[in-house]
Amino acid sequence: MSPAMVGAAAEASDDESQFQKGVKHLCEKAISRVPGKYILPVHERPGRAAIGNDAARVDEGRKLMSLPMVDFAELRSSSDRPRALKSLAEACEQYGFFQVVNHGIPEEVIGGMIDASTRFFGQPYEERARYMSSDMTSPVRYGTSFNQSKDKVFCWRDFLKITCEPMPQVLPHWPSSPPDMRNVVALYAKETKCLFLKIMEAILESLGLPLPATGRGSVCEDGGIMTQFEEGSQLMVSNFYPPCPEPELTLGMPPHSDYGFLTLLLQDRVPGLQILHGDNWVTVKPILGSFVVNVGDHLEIFSNGRYKSVLHRVLVNSTESRISVATLHSLPKECTVSPAPELVDEANPRRYMDTDFASFLAYISSCEPKKKNFLESRKLLS
Ligand code: OGA
Ligand code: NI
């Protein structure tokens, strides 16, 4: 190898290790261009239509769209509940997403979580890096992109993933800095778990399933499904998207669906989340203090395809950083998810194979899936 080649190779691997340190670390060195590592192929860039090459559709997506609203004040009122359940069902069928208001989680808990995440990401790289791990089963993982050991093109995001259960076992592994982080996360995890359970109750009712539903066939044998959810898995993901000098070349998160039953997403005031609605990417209008809730793969399977786990992605922008906190809820990790027997009959044959957490982990660890879409691999009928 010529000396020049040696130099080039050393530079390339040096760059690669810089990218592994995350996009916030990269931005601390005042960059004016997006490095090649983050540049998507032309047809995957945010300025392209989801289907075809229609500029009008792209412009349409730039407008902010309000998601269907689910109002807990209505769900709590016996006279309004039937109507609220109907709009919940329609949102899950037509959008796979809805916005929850009057949810009862105190403003301080919500503001506290965004604030603690902001302060976590604001710490020096060395402090954040203590939680970097390539072990998918680790209870705390700090990292970057989507799957930083597999992604060819990186996305413009750093994350902190925290496993929330069983709390007594996992809490000692959580970040100890900022000093109030563990308390804030524990409180936020409890409150969002409670809200998840209330939303799941409404969802089961909206699907016409008996409450408490039995575990027959569809979930672990012991106890009803609500009991299983109480003991279920909960993963918290704080996302940090720094400002990006050329936001049209990259994404904060590539198109993906979420694996669990429901994801509760808290976003700050900066727009970025886009969902695939019809054939278009539409940008969700942030409503401070409310939650964006989406149907995950497990709920699509459980509802035998009635409720949709919809692809979504994140745009970045050139002026402001953005923070979001997602909590992903499902059954206990050892449980199998199947279509609810009540929702399978001759007119609605079973559409999905059984699935479990282990097969999901095997899927995401094995490849760089094009659309990060695990659900496709579980479909029996198309
Ligand atoms: C996620 C996700 C969207 C956002 O964490 O799975 O889709 O707006 N986040 O950060
Ligand atoms: Ni998501």
Side-chain angles (χ1 to χ4, degrees):
M1 211 187 279
S2 73
M5 290 280 286
V6 174
E11 203 173 281
S13 66
D14 201 42
D15 264 7
E16 188 58 39
S17 74
Q18 289 301 303
F19 301 140
Q20 291 290 335
K21 290 181 178 173
V23 69
K24 176 154 192 295
H25 181 78
L26 182 77
C27 292
E28 276 155 11
K29 282 186 294 192
I31 49 165
S32 57
R33 306 292 304 265
V34 166
K37 183 75 183 169
Y38 299 85
I39 300 182
L40 287 163
V42 173
H43 64 280
E44 291 175 29
R45 291 183 194 165
R48 300 297 290 241
I51 309 262
N53 198 3
D54 184 342
R57 285 170 189 258
V58 175
D59 279 346
E60 204 45 39
R62 292 215 176 90
K63 291 190 203 142
L64 298 183
M65 187 195 69
S66 296
L67 289 172
M69 207 65 94
V70 170
D71 186 341
F72 254 85
E74 287 181 8
L75 281 173
R76 276 190 291 266
S77 135
S78 51
S79 57
D80 293 340
R81 189 167 170 94
R83 194 163 42 87
L85 288 175
K86 193 158 172 279
S87 27
L88 173 62
E90 281 168 8
C92 294
E93 286 163 2
Q94 294 163 19
Y95 291 79
F97 273 79
F98 52 92
Q99 188 105 36
V100 172
V101 293
N102 290 322
H103 45 67
I105 300 187
E107 257 174 56
E108 310 84 76
V109 177
I110 289 181
M113 188 62 221
I114 294 274
D115 179 56
S117 300
T118 308
R119 285 181 286 118
F120 176 85
F121 288 108
Q123 299 178 115
Y125 170 72
E126 291 67 30
E127 184 57 40
R128 288 176 272 136
R130 288 173 55 198
Y131 305 100
M132 268 194 161
S133 165
S134 54
D135 176 6
M136 294 281 203
T137 64
S138 165
V140 179
R141 284 199 307 128
Y142 178 72
T144 191
S145 193
F146 204 78
N147 180 347
Q148 75 196 83
S149 62
K150 293 281 191 289
D151 297 341
K152 286 194 191 73
V153 177
F154 270 21
C155 50
W156 202 262
R157 141 180 110 140
D158 293 340
F159 63 79
L160 176 68
K161 296 192 182 185
I162 298 179
T163 302
C164 300
E165 92 310 320
M167 208 178 279
Q169 273 104 298
V170 289
L171 191 139
H173 298 276
W174 291 357
S176 51
S177 167
D180 58 343
M181 187 80 182
R182 288 182 184 172
N183 281 341
V184 173
V185 169
L187 184 60
Y188 185 78
K190 280 187 195 142
E191 292 279 358
T192 47
K193 175 65 166 259
C194 238
L195 180 57
F196 161 71
L197 293 173
K198 285 190 228 156
I199 303 174
M200 266 328 294
E201 252 173 33
I203 285 197
L204 295 179
E205 198 177 335
S206 74
L207 285 167
L209 296 175
L211 262 180
T214 62
R216 266 180 303 132
S218 48
V219 290
C220 296
E221 291 307 314
D222 52 328
I225 192 165
M226 285 310 298
T227 314
Q228 299 296 334
F229 283 131
E230 276 164 36
E231 292 155 13
S233 66
Q234 182 179 8
L235 175 72
M236 193 183 302
V237 187
S238 288
N239 298 302
F240 182 76
Y241 308 97
C244 173
E246 295 171 292
E248 62 287 355
L249 299 181
T250 192
L251 283 169
M253 258 207 226
H256 68 282
S257 63
D258 296 345
Y259 72 85
F261 269 75
L262 291 178
T263 300
L264 274 52
L265 179 81
L266 190 61
Q267 39 177 350
D268 64 13
R269 61 179 71 244
V270 183
L273 173 64
Q274 284 198 318
I275 72 172
L276 192 60
H277 182 58
D279 292 340
N280 302 327
W281 288 110
V282 295
T283 308
V284 173
K285 180 177 181 179
I287 301 180
L288 270 187
S290 79
F291 287 89
V292 169
V293 179
N294 64 293
V295 172
D297 296 350
H298 290 171
L299 179 53
E300 178 168 329
I301 294 172
F302 179 77
S303 71
N304 200 30
R306 205 171 129 193
Y307 289 175
K308 300 286 187 290
S309 173
V310 163
L311 287 178
H312 50 286
R313 66 181 191 179
V314 178
L315 305 183
V316 287
N317 71 82
S318 60
T319 54
E320 291 177 291
S321 60
R322 177 170 180 268
I323 285 209
S324 68
V325 183
T327 52
L328 286 74
H329 302 260
S330 191
L331 294 168
K333 289 201 178 73
E334 62 281 8
C335 284
T336 301
V337 182
S338 330
E342 297 87 344
L343 302 177
V344 177
D345 56 30
E346 235 163 88
N348 297 291
R350 191 190 225 267
R351 289 177 173 273
Y352 305 86
M353 306 175 226
D354 289 355
T355 191
D356 57 21
F357 194 70
S359 51
F360 172 72
L361 270 191
Y363 178 84
I364 52 166
S365 315
S366 65
C367 53
E368 190 206 27
K370 256 269 154 286
K371 283 194 164 173
K372 322 282 182 196
N373 199 350
F374 173 65
L375 194 56
E376 285 302 320
S377 73
R378 312 312 295 168
K379 280 189 183 159
L380 293 169
L381 309 163
S382 51

